[in-house]
Amino acid sequence: MKKWMLGAAALWLCACAGINKNTVNYQANEYDSAKYYVVAGEGTSKESASDNALENMRREMVQNAPAAANQGVVTDLMANASVEKVWRDKDFSGKHYYALAVLSRSKARKVLTPLLDQEDEKLKGLSAQFSAPANPLADLKVAFQMQPVVTRRAALDEMYQFLDASRQSYQPEVFAPYKNMLQEKLAAVLVAVDVQGVESEEMVTYVVDALNRMGLGVVEASAPDKVLAVQIQTDVDEYDSQKVQGLVWCSSGAAISLVDATRGVTFARFNVHERAGTSRAADSLRQSMQRVGEQAAQQISSRLETYLKTK
């Protein structure tokens, strides 16, 4: 028995002797990952290794929660981080140092949770302003005010999840109803799209995509409950280029009207024209109409949003 125990002890000592404590993994594993967020850095001096460790931590935060980086929260989080270990790489002949930047997850939560709670309170106040019974256009103004708050709340939560050891969201049961409410109020504003003329299917795709990105509902032109209407008439003029021989040019255009269907009022009219030249008439037509569609969609989104926010 004694010989067995002595043999086991000898094996354990050999195993310990074989562990390289000089590695980043070994040193980082000294910290409980459930409690600390640890990032390594290296350099030719203790100072450069320390600076690089902190910069690597900041960079990881920005890369993993880019939306939160635009909210200015990274600076506050980094103010709570520190370099706790710096050591020289003994396996390297020259001067080579490693450092560990450490951020307590509890400190990170103390930075983020008050900000998240603040946004939830704003959303609570705004949601109380919705009409009863619902009024799509009146509610849309409140929804537009909610949008940047929801965006900031989601961005902060992205950072919260990244720094949480279990990658859990912060109080999703509180935030989810506000997100759903915003989507419902936007989608309740129904926009009818009516495109007539040559290659109208090209135009429909761009316009519908633009309205969907705004979160608005899209319906057929004949829908009785439409709130807004987008009316588009396309036209095409094909001709051979006299300047560049061998190319078939096509000039496409669209006359666009934006209508408040609830009032029967046209609040915006504009025209868009583009041209393209290729070796095939069909390609020139398609490319010129695509460019018209892109420009038209941008202007439709901008003009609709301006009207709905100021009406």
Side-chain angles (χ1 to χ4, degrees):
M1 177 64 72
K2 289 183 179 181
K3 289 183 179 180
W4 180 86
M5 292 178 65
L6 288 172
L11 288 173
W12 182 83
L13 288 171
C14 289
C16 290
I19 294 176
N20 186 357
K21 298 182 180 181
N22 197 42
T23 65
V24 169
N25 283 341
Y26 180 87
Q27 295 294 333
N29 285 335
E30 294 288 293
Y31 292 88
D32 184 351
S33 61
K35 296 180 179 179
Y36 299 97
Y37 170 48
V38 182
V39 178
E42 56 185 305
T44 56
S45 67
K46 291 182 178 180
E47 292 75 17
S48 64
S50 298
D51 291 344
N52 288 336
L54 289 169
E55 176 57 23
N56 289 343
M57 176 177 282
R58 186 200 66 79
R59 188 182 297 112
E60 279 195 6
M61 289 184 189
V62 173
Q63 290 175 346
N64 286 276
N70 296 327
Q71 303 296 328
V73 71
V74 174
T75 301
D76 295 335
L77 290 165
M78 289 304 301
N80 289 273
S82 62
V83 175
E84 295 192 1
K85 282 189 177 184
V86 183
W87 71 98
R88 185 172 179 175
D89 185 355
K90 297 178 182 178
D91 297 328
F92 192 76
S93 57
K95 290 185 178 181
H96 190 230
Y97 294 86
Y98 294 109
L100 296 181
V102 181
L103 173 63
S104 166
R105 296 189 190 277
S106 63
K107 287 184 178 180
R109 285 193 292 272
K110 287 180 180 179
V111 171
L112 293 169
T113 52
L115 299 175
L116 289 159
D117 289 338
Q118 187 179 57
E119 300 310 309
D120 285 339
E121 281 299 311
K122 291 179 184 178
L123 291 172
K124 180 180 179 181
L126 287 168
S127 65
Q129 298 179 31
F130 285 123
S131 304
N135 181 319
L137 287 179
D139 288 346
L140 187 62
K141 287 187 175 182
V142 180
F144 278 141
Q145 295 179 57
M146 286 183 73
Q147 274 186 320
V149 184
V150 167
T151 298
R152 176 171 167 78
R153 172 58 164 83
L156 293 171
D157 191 55
E158 184 180 52
M159 182 64 77
Y160 183 92
Q161 291 181 59
F162 172 65
L163 292 176
D164 183 74
S166 57
R167 295 294 192 266
Q168 293 296 310
S169 178
Y170 178 71
Q171 296 185 353
E173 72 282 359
V174 174
F175 184 41
Y178 296 130
K179 287 196 299 183
N180 295 336
M181 192 180 301
L182 173 61
Q183 293 171 357
E184 290 170 3
K185 295 301 181 181
L186 290 172
V189 178
L190 302 179
V191 184
V193 178
D194 183 17
V195 184
Q196 302 291 332
V198 180
E199 290 290 306
S200 59
E201 65 274 10
E202 292 280 356
M203 184 68 66
V204 168
T205 300
Y206 285 101
V207 174
V208 170
D209 285 349
L211 294 172
N212 285 337
R213 285 194 297 272
M214 292 181 69
L216 304 178
V218 179
V219 294
E220 298 292 334
S222 59
D225 52 352
K226 60 181 177 287
V227 177
L228 303 168
V230 177
Q231 299 171 349
I232 303 175
Q233 180 67 46
T234 63
D235 62 84
V236 175
D237 180 20
E238 300 180 43
Y239 56 93
D240 291 331
S241 171
Q242 298 301 313
K243 295 182 179 179
V244 184
Q245 295 298 328
L247 293 182
V248 180
W249 286 80
C250 177
S251 178
S252 297
I256 302 162
S257 299
L258 304 181
V259 180
D260 184 336
T262 63
R263 301 167 61 200
V265 174
T266 299
F267 60 88
R269 282 195 179 96
F270 60 95
N271 296 279
V272 178
H273 291 279
E274 278 290 345
R275 71 186 193 127
T278 70
S279 59
R280 297 178 67 250
D283 291 339
S284 299
L285 172 60
R286 177 178 51 80
Q287 288 185 19
S288 63
M289 190 59 73
Q290 285 176 344
R291 293 172 186 173
V292 169
E294 290 172 354
Q295 284 197 36
Q298 291 174 0
Q299 288 206 45
I300 289 170
S301 297
S302 177
R303 291 171 185 251
L304 274 180
E305 186 170 346
T306 299
Y307 176 75
L308 293 170
K309 285 183 175 179
T310 58
K311 178 182 174 300

